[in-house]
Amino acid sequence: MERARLESARPLARRPLVTLLTAAALAASGLTALTSAARAADADLARNGGFESALDGWTCTAGTTVTSPVHSGATALKATPAGADNARCAQTVSVKPDSQYTLSGYVQGTYVYLGASGTGTTDVSTWAQSAPDWQQLTTTFRTGPSTTKVTIYTHGWYGTGAYHADDISLTGPGGETGQPPAAPGGLKTGSVTSSAVALSWSPVPGATGYAVYRDGTRVSTVTGTSTTVSGLTPSTAYSFQVTAVNDAGESARSATVTATTAQRPDDGGGSSGLPAHALVGYLHASFANGSGYTRMADVPDSWDVIDLAFGEPTSVTSGDIRFERCPVAECPNVESDAEFKAAIKAKQAAGKKVLISIGGQNGQVQLTSTAARDKFVSSVSAIIDEYGLDGLDIDFEGHSLSLNADDTDFKNPKTPVIVNLVSAVKTLKAKYGDDFVLTMAPETFFVQLGYQYYGTGKWGGQDPRAGAYLPVIHALRDDLTLLHVQDYNSGSIMGLDNQYHSMGGADFHIAMTDMLLTGFPVAGDANNVFPPLRPDQVAIGMPASTQAGNGHVSSAEVNKALNCLTRKTDCGSYATHGTWPDLRGLMTWSINWDRYSNWEFQKNFDAYFG
């Protein structure tokens, strides 16, 4: 909380260097025209070159398909460079050694590239400096004496706008692709929860991966022989199939298995014990600032979840969390420990939840070792037990969470600080049982930015913190009571419409929340989708006043965001992907700042949800 504005780092402008091959140069190199007989044997080897099957066959860092503009067919590629990412889309194609190929495609935009790498001779590329309308790009190459695979690609340039591409073809003799693998056997279900189904199947010789289908729609690809399909609706029947894939293609689908998700306990507000629409706020319990100190007993009944700010570590990597009450010298009106604990019990008796929030702006927590993990569990447990709290809020900021360079799959994290945090929280959940309340308050940089960037990226150079909360949220989604991302102190973030959204109005909250409720491909990879959360797991984080943080909006804009997300009205320019009347509510930093502003945030919430 209360952090400086986050900005995406952008490289200095660089002018592209391109070698243009003239007809004379081609002739001099021996790359002559194909004979009629050779041309008759050629084929278009590019898979899904017209992007009619979404991004099937392509790996993109920041791409999607659009229905306009298109060169032909129904869809085309749209990719948007940003920061250190040039929005590259690529696929690997089987070719024949010592053979001639022509690469062609149509593009729109500024500084759009089409090229081939791994040719075994000279890698080639061609580009359009400015193509306001569709422009055809064409280049040729010859494969080396032992080359059997070539990567074709398109990309834009750093700091420029979105580009479009369509009808990409690679013409030449096809390589030895072999046969697609056999269909997997032995598909069966494992554990089934209210929102996830575990699947496993037998390995297939020659397969390099497996595609998972839910109700006939491909939802993920994995390299192993098991996976868990998440983001499902409680008490709902689903059917599943898998296929095996390799360079030659995809097998037939396996036999179908079915599973019905479990019923989610419902006590009026889900298993959390919260009301259908909840108001969450942070209480400055360990410090004072310009907002002044607010006693626990003076927190109005409107606040359903009260997060005690903050528990902080004795050192960044110790895992030893301490919660110190605000001293009298700093907070002259602070209550005694006995009064504080009695007020907590009174809140709980009235149905409120009181949590310890770990981290904050100054509380950097890095669980780099199992010893730190275990200390985290024991020290947080001690705080919960001493004050009789209902659970834990994870508010890790700054450099608490980042991803190692080889950690590229949010579903299977390897970075110690991620793995140890997940393990620690699961241990706490197991200790306190189903009534344990777990909330998280990450910043947009660690969540929604993952739509564009994840960790250091495939080619390195990105901020390793980008999207670093995604593996934590995903691993704990079945234990998670509430995710309330901080929609403040944020840089511009790209939404699912591939447009950048900035703080200051309802649009930002709508776009950021829609991403959580719809799900999104991580780092632009359509085969690696972060599944949506249930609407009852999501609240919108907003500053209570202009003093509380950058990005404060008026009550009118708050209501527009709620209207759009829960009623599909007042949506403005952003088109949501659904309507979610069960959206849990709002979170704010902070209760203290709202009191300072005459309870404007709380009063508006009460009036809206009545």
Side-chain angles (χ1 to χ4, degrees), residues 10-16 83 111 157-160:
R10 293 182 177 268
L12 295 175
R14 288 170 281 181
R15 184 172 179 80
Y111 292 127
W157 198 250
Y158 309 96
T160 59

Side-chain angles (χ1 to χ4, degrees), residues 39-178:
R39 184 173 289 111
D42 288 346
D44 182 3
L45 307 178
R47 176 178 172 181
N48 189 31
F51 301 95
E52 300 303 315
S53 299
L55 297 180
D56 181 44
W58 296 91
T59 299
C60 300
T61 61
T64 187
T65 52
V66 294
T67 57
S68 179
V70 297
H71 178 257
S72 70
T75 57
L77 170 70
K78 178 182 179 181
T80 306
D85 179 19
N86 61 10
R88 173 184 166 112
C89 283
Q91 68 170 267
T92 300
V93 181
S94 294
V95 294
K96 284 188 175 181
D98 197 24
S99 299
Q100 185 74 15
Y101 293 88
T102 298
L103 175 64
S104 179
Y106 289 84
V107 301
Q108 274 193 29
T110 303
Y111 292 127
V112 192
Y113 288 74
L114 179 68
S117 61
T119 63
T121 55
T122 301
D123 291 349
V124 296
S125 69
T126 182
W127 65 300
Q129 180 175 353
S130 178
D133 298 313
W134 288 109
Q135 177 177 328
Q136 186 177 25
L137 298 178
T138 302
T139 186
T140 62
F141 62 88
R142 193 170 190 84
T143 53
S146 60
T147 302
T148 59
K149 294 184 184 299
V150 166
T151 298
I152 60 174
Y153 63 85
T154 181
H155 67 72
W157 198 250
Y158 309 96
T160 59
Y163 72 88
H164 298 80
D166 202 1
D167 295 332
I168 295 174
S169 64
L170 179 66
T171 306
E176 299 296 330
T177 59

Side-chain angles (χ1 to χ4, degrees), residues 172-508:
E176 299 296 330
T177 59
Q179 295 294 322
L187 178 62
K188 60 183 180 181
T189 60
S191 62
V192 178
T193 70
S194 61
S195 61
V197 174
L199 300 172
S200 63
W201 54 91
S202 302
V204 177
T208 58
Y210 300 89
V212 181
Y213 289 81
R214 183 192 68 210
D215 294 336
T217 300
R218 183 168 167 168
V219 293
S220 67
T221 56
V222 297
T223 56
T225 57
S226 64
T227 190
T228 297
V229 180
S230 305
L232 306 180
T233 302
S235 304
T236 303
Y238 293 93
S239 64
F240 302 94
Q241 296 169 294
V242 294
T243 62
V245 296
N246 62 15
D247 290 343
E250 186 173 359
S251 75
R253 297 185 187 181
S254 70
T256 300
V257 298
T258 60
T260 300
T261 51
Q263 181 178 0
R264 177 165 53 87
D266 192 357
D267 51 15
S271 59
S272 64
L274 296 176
H277 300 293
L279 181 61
V280 182
Y282 287 79
L283 184 68
H284 307 179
S286 60
F287 62 94
N289 58 15
S291 64
Y293 184 81
T294 300
R295 295 162 63 100
M296 174 64 73
D298 294 335
V299 176
D301 289 340
S302 296
W303 300 91
D304 301 295
V305 180
I306 303 168
D307 292 320
L308 304 180
F310 290 104
E312 298 182 0
T314 55
S315 69
V316 172
T317 59
S318 69
D320 188 4
I321 306 300
R322 305 294 176 88
F323 173 58
E324 304 291 343
R325 301 283 318 291
C326 189
V328 175
E330 186 177 350
C331 303
N333 60 324
V334 66
E335 67 270 62
S336 68
D337 279 354
E339 291 171 324
F340 186 69
K341 292 175 182 178
I344 290 173
K345 288 183 178 180
K347 292 295 179 189
Q348 293 167 329
K352 313 306 178 184
K353 305 296 182 182
V354 184
L355 315 181
I356 180 64
S357 180
I358 307 297
Q361 178 182 358
N362 299 322
Q364 305 290 298
V365 182
Q366 296 174 2
L367 303 183
T368 56
S369 66
T370 55
R373 174 200 66 191
D374 295 344
K375 189 63 178 178
F376 181 89
V377 171
S378 63
S379 59
V380 171
S381 295
I383 297 170
I384 292 173
D385 293 344
E386 179 179 356
Y387 292 94
L389 304 180
D390 296 288
L392 169 67
D393 173 68
I394 302 173
D395 185 17
F396 286 15
E397 301 184 15
H399 291 271
S400 292
L401 296 181
S402 63
L403 295 160
N404 290 351
D406 64 342
D407 199 344
T408 59
D409 181 5
F410 77 90
K411 296 176 182 176
N412 298 285
K414 298 185 289 185
T415 305
V417 295
I418 304 290
V419 174
N420 290 332
L421 175 60
V422 170
S423 175
V425 174
K426 283 186 174 292
T427 301
L428 288 166
K429 173 74 173 182
K431 176 178 180 178
Y432 291 103
D434 292 340
D435 292 334
F436 185 77
V437 178
L438 173 64
T439 65
M440 300 182 194
E443 296 156 300
T444 56
F445 190 94
F446 297 91
V447 183
Q448 288 94 336
L449 186 68
Y451 177 52
Q452 280 187 283
Y453 310 109
Y454 188 69
T456 58
K458 294 182 180 180
W459 296 281
Q462 297 174 187
D463 192 319
R465 299 173 299 163
Y469 249 95
L470 294 179
V472 179
I473 298 167
H474 185 69
L476 297 170
R477 64 171 56 238
D478 290 336
D479 302 309
L480 181 64
T481 308
L482 274 180
L483 176 72
H484 32 65
V485 175
Q486 300 178 36
D487 285 0
Y488 46 93
N489 296 338
S490 171
S492 297
I493 303 291
M494 180 180 286
L496 295 181
D497 58 353
N498 290 322
Q499 303 298 314
Y500 284 98
H501 298 269
S502 301
M503 299 182 302
D507 173 82
F508 187 68

